[in-house]
Amino acid sequence: MTVARIDARFAALKDEGRPGLVVFVTAGDPDLETSLEVIKALPAAGADVIEIGMPFTDPMADGPAIQASGLRALGGGQTLRKTLDLVRRFREGDKATPIILMGYYNPIYSYGVPKFLADANAAGIDGLIVVDLPAEEDDELCLPALAAEIAFIRLATPTTDDKRLPTVLTNTSGFVYYVSITGITGAASPDATKVGAAVARIRRHTDLPIAVGFGINSPEQAAAIVEYADAAVVGSAVVSLIGKAAAEGVSGAPVAARVSEFVARLAAGVRGVKRNAA
């Protein structure tokens, strides 16, 4: 199903006349079984799309909370192979929720691009966000991913001007991820009005849905963002909950319950913003 699963989800959101909620968690954080419990609970809590971070030792866009989650996962023995297996196990009970892998190119390159794409497809992954691969390097992974029917979702930022934007959007599929602030994840809160202007500018260049992330930490902020965007992305606030539970020695289903309670509040905020149904 791959790209079609993302397209179908955003089409359904449009039919329902509401924006969406994308939730980010790091694979294997703080351990593989707890991570699976959390991910399996997200759709029922209100996540429309799940982003799963591939733990990496040298991130360039991740703030302290997500960096810490990556280190917890790596410390627990998480690998890219285990991340793919995590998604495969999730898919045994959920065939509908889009799954996006987000991270950096080095682990994929080391794994081997053809084998990675084949295994990702078999696991049920729908899209990739690879932060450190610019449009000029599409031959490396983007074009092979598209050929494998896996969406390649690109980031646009406040510094992506009208001259650069068409290049960024070339070969982008699934949705466009607009980074609401300049800087790393969780570093600051976005200005919804500025985000609205940026989203309007991007819409002049593409018909793809636009999801906005970085710095969204509360139901109120998420609701303010989806006044303009098709979906809000929340990551640092969620992985911080997982980190707090790990520090308390809590694992498994109780962690999933804590995350679900927070995600349900985020979803309620997002779903309170109505639009005319398609």
Side-chain angles (χ1 to χ4, degrees):
M1 189 178 283
T2 60
V3 176
R5 193 152 33 207
I6 303 173
D7 294 345
R9 179 52 52 95
F10 277 100
L13 293 174
K14 190 173 183 180
D15 288 344
E16 294 171 25
R18 68 172 180 88
L21 174 65
V22 183
V23 175
F24 173 98
V25 294
T26 298
D29 175 31
D31 60 75
L32 191 57
E33 295 308 315
T34 298
S35 185
L36 180 61
E37 291 279 355
V38 169
I39 292 168
K40 286 169 66 176
L42 289 177
D48 297 296
V49 178
I50 300 173
E51 265 184 45
I52 298 179
M54 297 178 279
F56 187 54
T57 52
D58 301 298
M60 56 188 282
D62 300 328
I66 294 178
Q67 286 188 37
S69 72
L71 293 177
R72 285 193 297 271
L74 292 169
Q78 189 67 15
T79 64
L80 183 50
R81 187 181 304 280
K82 290 180 179 179
T83 298
L84 296 174
D85 192 54
L86 181 71
V87 177
R88 182 191 60 75
R89 294 172 66 189
F90 170 82
R91 277 279 172 255
E92 291 173 354
D94 189 316
K95 308 294 186 189
T97 306
I99 295 286
I100 314 295
L101 286 189
M102 182 172 186
Y104 300 86
Y105 184 48
N106 197 317
I108 297 172
Y109 177 81
S110 298
Y111 193 96
V113 169
K115 180 171 175 50
F116 169 75
L117 292 175
D119 290 352
N121 224 329
I125 288 159
D126 304 291
L128 299 173
I129 301 173
V130 181
V131 176
D132 54 350
L133 268 183
E136 286 76 8
E137 304 296 335
D138 274 359
D139 289 343
E140 285 280 342
L141 179 62
C142 173
L143 296 181
L146 295 177
E149 299 187 10
I150 295 176
F152 203 84
I153 298 146
R154 198 100 61 189
L155 302 178
T157 75
T159 60
T160 307
D161 60 20
D162 282 327
K163 183 178 179 181
R164 176 67 178 167
L165 200 47
T167 302
V168 169
L169 295 173
T170 298
N171 296 323
T172 295
S173 55
F175 60 90
V176 179
Y177 188 135
Y178 178 68
V179 175
S180 63
I181 58 173
T182 53
I184 55 179
T185 58
S189 297
D191 181 323
T193 302
K194 290 182 179 178
V195 167
V199 168
R201 183 170 64 85
I202 295 171
R203 288 200 198 284
R204 292 197 289 271
H205 292 267
T206 182
D207 293 328
L208 287 170
I210 300 171
V212 174
F214 283 42
I216 302 171
N217 295 314
S218 69
E220 294 76 18
Q221 287 178 331
I225 290 298
V226 296
E227 290 284 351
Y228 307 98
D230 298 294
V233 186
V234 181
S236 293
V238 176
V239 300
S240 292
L241 280 177
I242 296 171
K244 185 173 186 294
E248 295 170 357
V250 179
S251 62
V255 182
R258 293 188 188 186
V259 172
S260 292
E261 188 276 333
F262 179 60
V263 170
R265 288 194 285 117
L266 291 170
V270 166
R271 295 179 188 206
V273 178
K274 302 297 183 185
R275 297 194 173 91
N276 294 325

Coordinates of all heavy atoms in Angstrom, one line a residue, residues 17-86:
G17 N -13.3 16.7 7.3 CA -13.3 18.1 7.6 C -12.5 18.5 8.9 O -12.9 19.3 9.6
R18 N -11.4 17.8 9.0 CA -10.6 18.1 10.2 C -9.1 17.9 9.8 O -8.7 17.2 8.9 CB -10.9 17.2 11.3 CG -10.5 15.7 11.1 CD -10.7 14.9 12.4 NE -10.4 13.5 12.3 CZ -9.2 13.0 12.5 NH1 -8.2 13.8 12.7 NH2 -8.9 11.7 12.3
P19 N -8.2 18.6 10.6 CA -6.8 18.4 10.4 C -6.3 17.2 11.1 O -7.1 16.5 11.8 CB -6.2 19.7 11.0 CG -7.2 20.1 12.0 CD -8.5 19.7 11.5
G20 N -5.0 16.8 10.9 CA -4.5 15.6 11.5 C -3.4 15.8 12.5 O -2.9 16.9 12.7
L21 N -3.1 14.7 13.2 CA -2.1 14.8 14.3 C -1.0 13.7 13.9 O -1.3 12.5 13.7 CB -2.6 14.4 15.6 CG -1.6 14.3 16.8 CD1 -0.9 15.6 17.0 CD2 -2.3 13.8 18.0
V22 N 0.2 14.2 13.8 CA 1.4 13.3 13.5 C 2.2 13.2 14.8 O 2.5 14.2 15.4 CB 2.3 13.8 12.4 CG1 3.4 12.8 12.1 CG2 1.4 14.0 11.1
V23 N 2.4 12.0 15.3 CA 3.2 11.8 16.6 C 4.5 11.1 16.3 O 4.5 10.1 15.6 CB 2.4 11.0 17.6 CG1 3.2 10.7 18.8 CG2 1.1 11.7 17.9
F24 N 5.6 11.7 16.8 CA 6.9 11.2 16.7 C 7.3 10.5 17.9 O 7.2 11.0 19.1 CB 7.9 12.3 16.4 CG 9.4 11.9 16.4 CD1 10.0 11.6 15.2 CD2 10.1 11.7 17.6 CE1 11.3 11.2 15.2 CE2 11.4 11.3 17.6 CZ 12.0 11.1 16.4
V25 N 7.9 9.3 17.8 CA 8.6 8.6 18.9 C 9.9 8.0 18.3 O 10.0 7.8 17.1 CB 7.7 7.5 19.5 CG1 6.5 8.1 20.2 CG2 7.3 6.4 18.5
T26 N 10.8 7.7 19.2 CA 12.1 7.1 18.7 C 12.0 5.6 18.9 O 11.6 5.1 19.9 CB 13.2 7.6 19.5 OG1 13.3 9.1 19.3 CG2 14.6 7.0 19.1
A27 N 12.4 4.9 17.8 CA 12.4 3.4 17.9 C 13.3 2.8 19.0 O 14.4 3.3 19.1 CB 12.8 2.8 16.5
G28 N 12.7 1.9 19.8 CA 13.5 1.3 20.8 C 13.7 2.1 22.1 O 14.6 1.7 22.9
D29 N 13.0 3.2 22.2 CA 13.1 4.0 23.4 C 12.1 3.7 24.4 O 10.9 3.8 24.2 CB 13.0 5.5 23.0 CG 13.0 6.5 24.1 OD1 13.7 6.2 25.1 OD2 12.4 7.5 24.0
P30 N 12.4 3.4 25.7 CA 13.8 3.1 26.2 C 14.3 1.7 25.9 O 15.4 1.4 26.1 CB 13.7 3.4 27.7 CG 12.3 3.0 28.0 CD 11.4 3.3 26.8
D31 N 13.3 0.8 25.5 CA 13.7 -0.5 25.2 C 12.7 -1.0 24.1 O 11.6 -0.3 23.9 CB 13.6 -1.4 26.4 CG 12.2 -1.5 27.0 OD1 11.3 -2.1 26.5 OD2 12.0 -0.8 28.1
L32 N 13.0 -2.0 23.4 CA 12.2 -2.5 22.3 C 10.7 -2.8 22.6 O 9.8 -2.3 21.9 CB 12.9 -3.7 21.6 CG 12.3 -4.1 20.2 CD1 12.4 -2.9 19.3 CD2 13.1 -5.3 19.7
E33 N 10.5 -3.5 23.7 CA 9.1 -3.9 24.0 C 8.3 -2.7 24.5 O 7.1 -2.6 24.1 CB 9.1 -5.0 25.0 CG 9.8 -6.3 24.5 CD 9.2 -6.8 23.2 OE1 8.0 -6.8 23.1 OE2 10.0 -7.2 22.3
T34 N 8.9 -1.8 25.2 CA 8.1 -0.6 25.6 C 7.8 0.2 24.4 O 6.7 0.7 24.3 CB 8.9 0.2 26.7 OG1 9.1 -0.6 27.8 CG2 8.2 1.5 27.0
S35 N 8.8 0.3 23.5 CA 8.6 1.1 22.3 C 7.4 0.5 21.5 O 6.5 1.3 21.0 CB 9.8 1.1 21.5 OG 9.7 1.9 20.3
L36 N 7.3 -0.8 21.4 CA 6.2 -1.4 20.6 C 4.9 -1.1 21.3 O 3.9 -0.8 20.6 CB 6.5 -2.9 20.5 CG 5.4 -3.7 19.8 CD1 5.3 -3.2 18.3 CD2 5.7 -5.2 19.8
E37 N 4.9 -1.2 22.6 CA 3.6 -0.9 23.4 C 3.2 0.5 23.1 O 2.0 0.7 22.9 CB 3.8 -1.1 24.9 CG 4.1 -2.5 25.3 CD 2.8 -3.3 25.5 OE1 1.7 -2.7 25.3 OE2 2.9 -4.5 25.8
V38 N 4.1 1.4 23.1 CA 3.8 2.8 22.9 C 3.2 3.0 21.5 O 2.2 3.6 21.2 CB 5.0 3.7 23.1 CG1 4.7 5.2 22.6 CG2 5.4 3.8 24.6
I39 N 3.9 2.5 20.5 CA 3.5 2.7 19.1 C 2.2 2.1 18.8 O 1.3 2.6 18.1 CB 4.6 2.1 18.1 CG1 5.9 3.0 18.3 CG2 4.1 2.1 16.7 CD1 7.1 2.4 17.6
K40 N 1.9 0.9 19.4 CA 0.7 0.2 19.1 C -0.5 1.0 19.7 O -1.6 0.9 19.3 CB 0.7 -1.2 19.8 CG 1.6 -2.2 19.0 CD 1.8 -3.5 19.7 CE 0.6 -4.3 19.9 NZ 0.9 -5.6 20.6
A41 N -0.2 1.8 20.8 CA -1.3 2.5 21.4 C -1.6 3.8 20.8 O -2.7 4.4 21.0 CB -0.9 2.8 22.9
L42 N -0.7 4.3 19.9 CA -0.9 5.7 19.4 C -2.1 5.9 18.5 O -2.8 6.9 18.7 CB 0.4 6.1 18.6 CG 1.6 6.3 19.4 CD1 2.8 6.6 18.5 CD2 1.4 7.5 20.4
P43 N -2.5 4.9 17.6 CA -3.7 5.2 16.8 C -5.0 5.3 17.6 O -5.8 6.3 17.4 CB -3.7 4.0 15.8 CG -2.3 3.5 15.7 CD -1.7 3.7 17.1
A44 N -5.1 4.5 18.6 CA -6.3 4.6 19.4 C -6.4 5.9 20.2 O -7.4 6.4 20.6 CB -6.4 3.4 20.3
A45 N -5.2 6.4 20.5 CA -5.1 7.6 21.3 C -5.4 8.9 20.4 O -5.7 9.9 21.0 CB -3.7 7.8 21.9
G46 N -5.3 8.7 19.1 CA -5.7 9.8 18.2 C -4.6 10.2 17.2 O -4.7 11.2 16.5
A47 N -3.5 9.5 17.2 CA -2.5 9.8 16.2 C -2.9 9.3 14.8 O -3.3 8.2 14.6 CB -1.2 9.1 16.5
D48 N -2.9 10.2 13.8 CA -3.3 9.9 12.5 C -2.2 9.3 11.7 O -2.4 8.5 10.7 CB -3.9 11.1 11.8 CG -5.2 11.6 12.5 OD1 -6.2 10.9 12.5 OD2 -5.1 12.8 13.0
V49 N -1.0 9.8 11.9 CA 0.2 9.3 11.3 C 1.3 9.1 12.4 O 1.3 9.9 13.3 CB 0.7 10.3 10.2 CG1 2.0 9.9 9.6 CG2 -0.3 10.6 9.1
I50 N 2.1 8.1 12.2 CA 3.2 7.9 13.2 C 4.5 8.1 12.5 O 4.8 7.5 11.5 CB 3.1 6.5 13.8 CG1 1.8 6.3 14.5 CG2 4.3 6.3 14.8 CD1 1.5 4.9 15.0
E51 N 5.4 8.9 13.1 CA 6.7 9.1 12.7 C 7.6 8.3 13.7 O 7.5 8.5 14.9 CB 7.2 10.5 12.8 CG 7.1 11.3 11.5 CD 7.6 12.7 11.7 OE1 8.7 12.8 12.3 OE2 7.0 13.6 11.3
I52 N 8.5 7.5 13.2 CA 9.4 6.7 14.0 C 10.8 7.1 13.8 O 11.3 7.0 12.6 CB 9.2 5.2 13.8 CG1 7.8 4.8 14.2 CG2 10.2 4.4 14.7 CD1 7.5 3.3 14.0
G53 N 11.5 7.6 14.8 CA 12.9 8.1 14.6 C 13.8 6.9 14.6 O 13.7 6.0 15.4
M54 N 14.8 7.0 13.7 CA 15.8 6.0 13.6 C 17.0 6.5 14.5 O 17.6 7.5 14.1 CB 16.3 5.7 12.2 CG 15.2 5.2 11.3 SD 15.8 5.0 9.5 CE 15.6 6.7 8.9
P55 N 17.3 5.9 15.6 CA 18.3 6.4 16.5 C 19.6 6.6 15.8 O 20.1 5.7 15.0 CB 18.4 5.3 17.6 CG 17.1 4.6 17.6 CD 16.7 4.6 16.1
F56 N 20.3 7.7 16.1 CA 21.5 8.1 15.4 C 22.4 8.8 16.4 O 21.9 9.6 17.2 CB 21.2 8.9 14.2 CG 22.4 9.2 13.3 CD1 23.2 8.1 12.8 CD2 22.7 10.5 12.9 CE1 24.3 8.4 12.0 CE2 23.8 10.7 12.1 CZ 24.6 9.7 11.7
T57 N 23.7 8.6 16.3 CA 24.6 9.2 17.3 C 25.0 10.7 17.0 O 25.4 11.4 17.9 CB 25.9 8.4 17.4 OG1 26.5 8.3 16.0 CG2 25.7 7.0 18.0
D58 N 24.8 11.1 15.8 CA 25.3 12.5 15.4 C 24.2 13.3 14.7 O 24.4 13.7 13.6 CB 26.5 12.4 14.5 CG 27.6 11.7 15.2 OD1 28.1 12.1 16.2 OD2 28.1 10.6 14.7
P59 N 23.0 13.5 15.4 CA 21.9 14.2 14.7 C 22.3 15.6 14.5 O 23.0 16.3 15.3 CB 20.8 14.0 15.7 CG 21.4 13.8 17.0 CD 22.7 13.1 16.8
M60 N 21.6 16.2 13.5 CA 21.8 17.7 13.2 C 20.6 18.5 13.4 O 20.7 19.7 13.5 CB 22.3 17.8 11.7 CG 21.4 17.3 10.7 SD 22.1 17.3 9.0 CE 21.8 19.0 8.6
A61 N 19.4 17.9 13.5 CA 18.2 18.6 13.6 C 17.5 18.3 14.9 O 16.5 19.0 15.3 CB 17.2 18.3 12.5
D62 N 17.9 17.3 15.7 CA 17.2 16.9 16.9 C 17.7 17.7 18.1 O 18.9 17.8 18.3 CB 17.4 15.4 17.1 CG 16.9 14.6 16.0 OD1 15.9 15.0 15.4 OD2 17.5 13.5 15.7
G63 N 16.7 18.2 18.9 CA 17.0 18.9 20.1 C 17.4 17.9 21.2 O 17.4 16.7 21.0
P64 N 17.6 18.4 22.5 CA 18.0 17.6 23.6 C 17.1 16.4 23.9 O 17.6 15.3 24.2 CB 18.1 18.6 24.8 CG 18.2 19.9 24.1 CD 17.5 19.9 22.8
A65 N 15.8 16.6 23.9 CA 14.9 15.5 24.2 C 15.0 14.4 23.2 O 15.0 13.2 23.7 CB 13.4 16.1 24.2
I66 N 15.0 14.7 22.0 CA 15.1 13.6 21.0 C 16.5 13.0 20.9 O 16.6 11.8 20.7 CB 14.6 14.1 19.6 CG1 13.1 14.4 19.7 CG2 14.8 13.0 18.5 CD1 12.5 15.0 18.5
Q67 N 17.5 13.8 21.1 CA 18.9 13.2 21.2 C 18.9 12.3 22.4 O 19.5 11.2 22.2 CB 19.9 14.4 21.4 CG 20.1 15.2 20.2 CD 21.3 16.2 20.4 OE1 22.3 15.9 21.1 NE2 21.2 17.3 19.8
A68 N 18.4 12.6 23.5 CA 18.4 11.7 24.7 C 17.6 10.4 24.4 O 18.1 9.3 24.8 CB 17.8 12.4 25.9
S69 N 16.5 10.5 23.7 CA 15.8 9.3 23.4 C 16.6 8.4 22.4 O 16.5 7.2 22.6 CB 14.4 9.7 22.7 OG 14.6 10.2 21.4
G70 N 17.3 9.0 21.5 CA 18.1 8.2 20.6 C 19.2 7.5 21.4 O 19.5 6.3 21.1
L71 N 19.8 8.2 22.3 CA 20.9 7.6 23.2 C 20.3 6.5 24.0 O 21.0 5.4 24.2 CB 21.6 8.6 24.0 CG 22.4 9.7 23.2 CD1 23.0 10.7 24.1 CD2 23.5 9.0 22.4
R72 N 19.1 6.7 24.6 CA 18.5 5.6 25.4 C 18.3 4.4 24.5 O 18.6 3.2 24.9 CB 17.1 6.1 26.0 CG 17.2 7.0 27.1 CD 15.9 7.2 27.8 NE 14.8 7.7 26.9 CZ 14.6 9.0 26.8 NH1 15.3 9.9 27.5 NH2 13.6 9.4 26.0
A73 N 17.8 4.6 23.3 CA 17.5 3.5 22.4 C 18.8 2.7 22.0 O 18.9 1.5 22.1 CB 16.7 4.0 21.2
L74 N 19.8 3.5 21.6 CA 21.1 2.9 21.2 C 21.7 2.2 22.4 O 22.3 1.1 22.2 CB 22.0 4.0 20.7 CG 21.6 4.6 19.3 CD1 22.4 5.8 19.0 CD2 21.7 3.6 18.2
G75 N 21.6 2.7 23.6 CA 22.1 2.1 24.8 C 21.4 0.8 25.1 O 22.0 -0.1 25.7
G76 N 20.2 0.7 24.6 CA 19.4 -0.6 24.8 C 19.6 -1.6 23.7 O 19.0 -2.6 23.6
G77 N 20.5 -1.2 22.7 CA 20.8 -2.2 21.7 C 20.0 -2.0 20.4 O 20.0 -2.9 19.5
Q78 N 19.3 -0.8 20.2 CA 18.5 -0.6 19.1 C 19.3 -0.5 17.8 O 20.4 0.1 17.8 CB 17.6 0.6 19.2 CG 16.6 0.8 18.1 CD 15.5 -0.3 18.2 OE1 15.3 -1.0 19.1 NE2 14.7 -0.4 17.1
T79 N 18.9 -1.1 16.7 CA 19.6 -1.0 15.4 C 18.5 -0.8 14.4 O 17.3 -0.8 14.6 CB 20.3 -2.4 15.1 OG1 19.2 -3.4 15.0 CG2 21.3 -2.8 16.2
L80 N 19.0 -0.5 13.2 CA 18.0 -0.2 12.1 C 17.3 -1.5 11.8 O 16.1 -1.4 11.5 CB 18.8 0.3 10.8 CG 17.9 0.6 9.6 CD1 16.8 1.6 10.0 CD2 18.8 1.3 8.5
R81 N 17.9 -2.6 11.8 CA 17.2 -3.9 11.6 C 16.1 -4.1 12.6 O 15.0 -4.5 12.3 CB 18.2 -5.1 11.7 CG 17.6 -6.4 11.2 CD 18.6 -7.5 11.4 NE 19.8 -7.2 10.6 CZ 19.9 -7.4 9.3 NH1 18.9 -7.9 8.6 NH2 21.0 -7.1 8.6
K82 N 16.4 -3.8 13.9 CA 15.3 -3.9 14.9 C 14.2 -2.9 14.7 O 13.1 -3.2 15.0 CB 16.0 -3.8 16.3 CG 16.9 -4.9 16.7 CD 17.4 -4.7 18.1 CE 18.3 -5.9 18.5 NZ 18.9 -5.6 19.9
T83 N 14.6 -1.7 14.2 CA 13.5 -0.7 13.9 C 12.6 -1.2 12.8 O 11.3 -1.1 12.9 CB 14.2 0.6 13.5 OG1 15.0 1.1 14.5 CG2 13.1 1.6 13.1
L84 N 13.1 -1.8 11.8 CA 12.3 -2.4 10.7 C 11.4 -3.5 11.3 O 10.2 -3.6 11.0 CB 13.1 -2.9 9.6 CG 13.9 -1.8 8.8 CD1 14.9 -2.5 7.8 CD2 13.0 -0.8 8.2
D85 N 12.0 -4.3 12.2 CA 11.2 -5.4 12.8 C 10.1 -4.8 13.7 O 9.0 -5.4 13.8 CB 12.1 -6.3 13.6 CG 11.4 -7.6 14.0 OD1 10.8 -8.3 13.1 OD2 11.4 -7.9 15.2
L86 N 10.4 -3.7 14.4 CA 9.4 -3.1 15.2 C 8.2 -2.7 14.4 O 7.0 -2.9 14.8 CB 10.0 -1.8 15.8 CG 9.2 -1.0 16.8 CD1 8.9 -1.7 18.1 CD2 9.8 0.4 17.0

